[in-house]
Amino acid sequence: MIQRPKGTKDLLPQDTYKWQIVESKLKEVLDSYNFKEIRVPVFEHTELFQRGVGETTDVVQKEMYTFNDKGGRSITLRPEGTAGVVRAYLENGMASMPSPIKLWYNMGMYRYENVQKGRLREFHQIGAELIGSSSFLADVDVILMANDFFKKLNIPNIKLTINSIGCPKCRAVYQDKLREFFKDNLENYCDTCKTRYVKNPMRMLDCKEEKCKKMNVGAPKMIDFLCEECQEHFENVKKYINKAGIKYEIDPNIVRGLDYYTKTVFEFIDEKTGLTVLGGGRYDGLVEEFGGQPTPAVGFATGVERLMEMYDEYNSEVEDKVPDLYILSMGENANIEAMDIAYKLRIDGFIVEKDIMDRSFKSQMKYANTTKSKKLIVIGDEELSKKTIKIKDMATGEEKEIGLNIDEIKSNL
Ligand code: HAM
């Protein structure tokens, strides 16, 4: 039997309904901040991610699903949403629309990662991008919205951590300090780190190799080298988050795995597993990198699989919808009547189950019980001639005689 590729998951009916609940709750939050949904292609030109996410990131160096299409173009399955959304923003003239532009998405992402708990090769993100505001107020709004996600889903054990990774101006000074720090030990670092030393030493802080992590202890922190503007921006973000009454920790070690970030970065961590459930930050240079006018932006994405794990833990009582009615019928005339009733009720939004297997009365009854239907009616020759049926409440076992017509059935559901 052919099996699914490593790092992918089948989402089965016993779980999809929970995803739908979570997706609709998060949509309510996104609606309340007036974000609008965007959908972009699953694949893009590879160059988009090389330039957007950054040549020295793990995502670009190790994790992209890249192939040549039949026309010889290098194509990549999106490993994240921001680059595609910013491309779409520029390509569709959103840059000339009134600012800010507020977009959200719910999309599958693809990264060739080492598969382990919480780390998949196909996963889903619900993300939000606020494009066009340089104000710290935008960072705060986006962080509040992310925080609302967890409140809306009744998820408690979540920790907000924030940091500032500065702007290109102050980062240049910091990168030099980092090189100084790494210099003496450089030959002991992994090969990837060695290549990052010259191009982007900050990426060395993001290395997952244990030996590199150990040597990174005590490295200078970006937060200590912020320029005046970045410092003031960060102070304001913190002040306003405080005012909103949201608890957070400053974590100077957050560098994020993607190169486009500037100034504020943040992560929401599952306190039980230590996994990052949501991550984001400001990316003031990306629109320009893709050929647009300098345009500030800030956003985040949550990993839906990781979020679902937490949702399940704290919302175990949530159940799927069950049929309002099961119609059991015997004989051709009764089958036709059952079909007609089911059709009319379904149009009115009721969930209706009926026999479509031409089964015996006994096996229809057996199957009806597995559907967890709330009510049940039986239609046979006798019911057809008397024009009455019994409607049974499946929870209490109570039975009631009613007329065999759609209005009476409806008023008893
Ligand atoms: P990211 O931190 O790479 O950011 O991913 C965001 C979230 O996606 C993570 O916090 C995690 O929950 C989930 N995630 C990432 N990789 C995996 C994986 N292999 N398996 C399961 N879940 C995963 C971004 O992608 C940015 N585009 C977020 C952003 C939007 N920043 C600004 N705007």
Side-chain angles (χ1 to χ4, degrees):
M1 199 177 42
I2 299 170
Q3 296 187 326
R4 62 177 189 266
K6 191 174 167 188
T8 64
K9 270 189 173 172
D10 297 312
L11 193 59
L12 302 177
Q14 62 262 33
D15 290 317
T16 37
Y17 79 92
K18 293 184 212 160
W19 278 59
Q20 287 163 358
I21 292 170
V22 166
E23 285 164 348
S24 75
K25 282 182 187 278
L26 296 193
K27 184 174 179 299
E28 280 174 31
V29 176
L30 290 154
D31 283 348
S32 70
Y33 284 78
N34 202 26
F35 277 68
K36 303 289 180 191
E37 187 181 1
I38 184 165
R39 300 182 190 192
V40 295
V42 167
F43 57 87
E44 299 272 0
H45 292 292
T46 302
E47 193 193 348
L48 185 85
F49 302 113
Q50 286 169 334
R51 279 186 28 205
V53 173
E55 291 278 10
T56 55
T57 57
D58 272 0
V59 170
V60 169
Q61 286 185 323
K62 301 176 184 170
E63 297 168 2
M64 292 206 302
Y65 281 91
T66 297
F67 57 95
N68 282 339
D69 70 7
K70 292 195 194 310
R73 300 168 202 91
S74 181
I75 293 293
T76 294
L77 301 187
R78 62 177 173 233
E80 61 99 50
T82 311
V85 168
V86 169
R87 179 206 46 72
Y89 163 89
L90 285 169
E91 196 165 340
N92 295 285
M94 284 187 246
S96 54
M97 293 176 185
S99 284
I101 299 287
K102 302 198 278 186
L103 304 167
W104 72 270
Y105 50 86
N106 179 5
M107 305 191 296
M109 306 293 165
Y110 304 86
R111 295 186 193 175
Y112 192 80
E113 294 218 52
N114 285 329
V115 177
Q116 45 187 276
K117 186 163 169 49
R119 189 168 288 169
L120 295 160
R121 291 185 176 165
E122 182 192 53
F123 59 98
H124 297 80
Q125 285 184 346
I126 294 181
E129 313 293 355
L130 191 161
I131 307 174
S133 170
S134 60
S135 167
F136 66 87
L137 291 171
D139 310 35
V140 173
D141 239 24
V142 157
I143 292 172
L144 293 187
M145 184 165 75
N147 192 66
D148 283 356
F149 275 17
F150 298 99
K151 276 208 288 197
K152 190 83 175 182
L153 300 179
N154 191 28
I155 294 175
N157 283 329
I158 196 91
K159 184 170 78 183
L160 166 61
T161 55
I162 60 173
N163 189 23
S164 174
I165 56 167
C167 62
K169 205 172 69 187
C170 46
R171 209 177 296 160
V173 179
Y174 173 62
Q175 304 258 43
D176 285 342
K177 293 274 175 215
L178 271 181
R179 284 194 195 93
E180 239 170 73
F181 173 84
F182 293 134
K183 199 174 59 192
D184 293 341
N185 256 340
L186 191 59
E187 62 204 54
N188 299 321
Y189 274 87
C190 72
D191 288 344
T192 315
C193 278
K194 281 180 195 145
T195 64
R196 290 172 176 177
Y197 178 79
V198 182
K199 283 194 188 161
N200 190 358
M202 239 172 113
R203 275 284 141 251
M204 293 172 71
L205 298 173
D206 200 28
C207 185
K208 291 176 186 118
E209 296 250 348
E210 280 310 318
K211 65 168 184 180
C212 302
K213 276 194 203 166
K214 271 194 196 137
M215 288 186 286
N216 286 346
V217 176
K221 312 278 186 216
M222 182 67 230
I223 205 169
D224 298 324
F225 296 91
L226 296 177
C227 63
E228 210 174 302
E229 189 199 322
C230 289
Q231 184 69 48
E232 195 187 326
H233 188 95
F234 193 44
E235 290 308 319
N236 278 320
V237 169
K238 288 187 289 182
K239 182 167 137 195
Y240 275 63
I241 300 179
N242 275 329
K243 288 248 184 260
I246 294 173
K247 279 201 204 126
Y248 64 89
E249 275 175 24
I250 295 168
D251 180 355
N253 295 317
I254 305 178
V255 286
R256 310 277 303 130
L258 314 157
D259 270 354
Y260 47 63
Y261 289 110
T262 53
K263 295 185 177 166
T264 319
V265 287
F266 56 92
E267 294 184 340
F268 284 76
I269 317 277
D270 178 345
E271 289 191 289
K272 241 184 187 172
T273 62
L275 286 171
T276 305
V277 185
L278 182 151
R282 182 164 275 287
Y283 49 97
D284 288 346
L286 190 60
V287 176
E288 200 179 355
E289 174 67 37
F290 288 165
Q293 293 299 315
T295 308
V298 56
F300 66 77
T302 179
V304 185
E305 285 79 3
R306 293 186 188 180
L307 191 65
M308 289 310 302
E309 291 264 326
M310 297 195 82
Y311 178 76
D312 265 354
E313 196 173 339
Y314 299 107
N315 298 272
S316 52
E317 74 288 354
V318 172
E319 283 183 13
D320 197 4
K321 287 182 194 155
V322 292
D324 298 295
L325 180 68
Y326 192 100
I327 309 173
L328 220 136
S329 61
M330 289 305 297
E332 190 177 347
N333 290 338
N335 286 346
I336 291 169
E337 185 67 20
M339 189 174 68
D340 187 51
I341 292 169
Y343 176 73
K344 287 175 179 149
L345 288 174
R346 284 165 176 165
I347 283 190
D348 282 352
F350 291 98
I351 306 177
V352 183
E353 273 275 17
K354 62 185 261 310
D355 179 53
I356 41 172
M357 301 274 286
D358 207 13
R359 282 198 274 220
S360 71
F361 184 86
K362 209 171 138 197
S363 32
Q364 283 191 51
M365 197 64 205
K366 219 165 134 190
Y367 180 73
N369 281 325
T370 67
T371 64
K372 298 184 181 154
S373 301
K374 293 179 201 157
K375 300 268 170 85
L376 176 127
I377 58 175
V378 177
I379 310 175
D381 289 342
E382 203 187 318
E383 283 80 8
L384 285 176
S385 67
K386 288 207 311 205
K387 295 229 170 305
T388 60
I389 45 168
K390 282 194 180 129
I391 185 159
K392 184 174 176 180
D393 185 311
M394 297 299 276
T396 62
E398 232 170 81
E399 277 190 332
K400 185 174 163 192
E401 192 160 272
I402 61 169
L404 177 52
N405 64 72
I406 195 75
D407 292 332
E408 278 212 47
I409 296 172
K410 226 191 280 178
S411 64
N412 278 283
L413 292 181

